[in-house]
Amino acid sequence: DVKVTQSSRYLVKRTGEKVFLECVQDMDHENMFWYRQDPGLGLRLIYFSYDVKMKEKGDIPEGYSVSREKKERFSLILESASTNQTSMYLCASTNAGGRPYYGYTFGSGTRLTVV
Amino acid sequence: AQSVTQLDSQVPVFEEAPVELRCNYSSSVSVYLFWYVQYPNQGLQLLLKYLSGSTLVESINGFEAEFNKSQTSFHLRKPSVHISDTAEYFCAVTYTDKLIFGTGTRLQVFP
């Protein structure tokens, strides 16, 4: 079964810490995405990547950065965690523009609490 | 730009009753449409999708959705819900290579 794996289900970090959220997919997908999910706001796109060493800003990139050194791994970095970054973080991947189009496969999510 | 509107943030319903979760999208081009389900403390799982062909699509657990191009809608329906259907449901539409999500509808099924 194809998988997107997020390394942590729950994380608690202190304000000001540098935080790494890891995501690995085993489907040889080109495209990978990071979302945050908050009640009443749905999913908001933080960053995405269409290829190794490539990244694009999503709708809410402030306070975040990403790294994609290998095709299967896409890391989200909180440079200096703040309490307003407490959220559920979801990683997703998909095949590139070829057909058929499968939609996204999501990881199980990382619930981050910043105290 | 694309947008997706889920008109109901919460839908409470009794077990074995029918349910409809509404989704409207804005688009002037051909789109792919999706419904995802999120069970408590889990990631999103694909429930069903419309890519082309028949406008009525079905999932393996009894949900169905109908693509209505004239009304730009993709409502999700189930004729008889079960307690285990309690979850949050997200409608999504493609925009270039990205998916645009609605804000979600929380379906709560009561015994």
Side-chain angles (χ1 to χ4, degrees):
Chain A
D1 197 11
V2 295
K3 276 192 178 352
V4 175
T5 302
Q6 294 183 233
S7 54
S8 304
R9 289 297 305 275
Y10 300 94
L11 274 180
V12 182
K13 297 292 182 180
R14 295 197 180 278
T15 302
E17 279 193 76
K18 190 169 186 176
V19 181
F20 293 86
L21 302 183
E22 305 289 345
C23 175
V24 176
Q25 51 95 4
D26 64 0
M27 298 165 284
D28 201 35
H29 282 170
E30 290 82 4
N31 302 346
M32 297 187 74
F33 306 83
W34 274 106
Y35 288 87
R36 64 176 283 176
Q37 180 184 7
D38 300 287
L41 298 177
L43 276 72
R44 294 180 290 169
L45 182 62
I46 305 171
Y47 267 97
F48 60 100
S49 169
Y50 290 155
D51 201 353
V52 175
K53 295 192 185 295
M54 177 271 180
K55 61 185 179 183
E56 293 282 348
K57 293 180 179 179
D59 300 319
I60 52 163
E62 296 77 19
Y64 303 94
S65 63
V66 290
S67 172
R68 193 160 181 205
E69 297 295 320
K70 294 184 178 181
K71 189 176 184 179
E72 67 270 19
R73 185 180 296 271
F74 192 37
S75 303
L76 179 69
I77 304 159
L78 286 66
E79 298 291 343
S80 177
S82 65
T83 55
N84 62 13
Q85 292 178 310
T86 291
S87 186
M88 169 73 96
Y89 290 87
L90 293 166
C91 176
S93 72
T94 188
N95 57 318
R99 299 294 179 260
Y101 181 71
Y102 297 111
Y104 290 10
T105 301
F106 280 88
S108 298
T110 296
R111 186 168 294 281
L112 173 68
T113 302
V114 183
V115 298
Chain B
Q2 299 276 27
S3 67
V4 178
T5 302
Q6 292 185 245
L7 297 166
D8 305 299
S9 60
Q10 295 189 58
V11 174
V13 64
F14 284 111
E15 193 173 20
E16 298 183 1
V19 71
E20 178 180 80
L21 307 184
R22 296 179 291 171
C23 173
N24 288 88
Y25 65 95
S26 64
S27 173
S28 59
V29 298
S30 296
V31 295
Y32 297 155
L33 293 156
F34 302 81
W35 275 99
Y36 282 83
V37 59
Q38 184 181 35
Y39 298 105
N41 297 314
Q42 295 186 25
L44 275 69
Q45 302 173 31
L46 180 64
L47 187 61
L48 48 76
K49 61 180 183 278
Y50 170 78
L51 303 181
S52 64
S54 172
T55 57
L56 185 66
V57 291
E58 298 177 354
S59 72
I60 58 173
N61 58 354
F63 282 95
E64 64 181 27
E66 186 162 18
F67 169 57
N68 188 319
K69 187 174 182 179
S70 62
Q71 297 185 9
T72 59
S73 68
F74 192 55
H75 301 331
L76 182 70
R77 302 184 181 96
K78 189 170 185 179
S80 176
V81 295
H82 191 267
I83 293 286
S84 60
D85 293 324
T86 293
E88 189 148 21
Y89 293 80
F90 291 91
C91 182
V93 61
T94 48
Y95 180 63
T96 61
D97 287 328
K98 298 194 294 291
L99 279 182
I100 307 299
F101 289 87
T103 52
T105 298
R106 183 169 298 277
L107 174 64
Q108 188 156 12
V109 182
F110 294 92

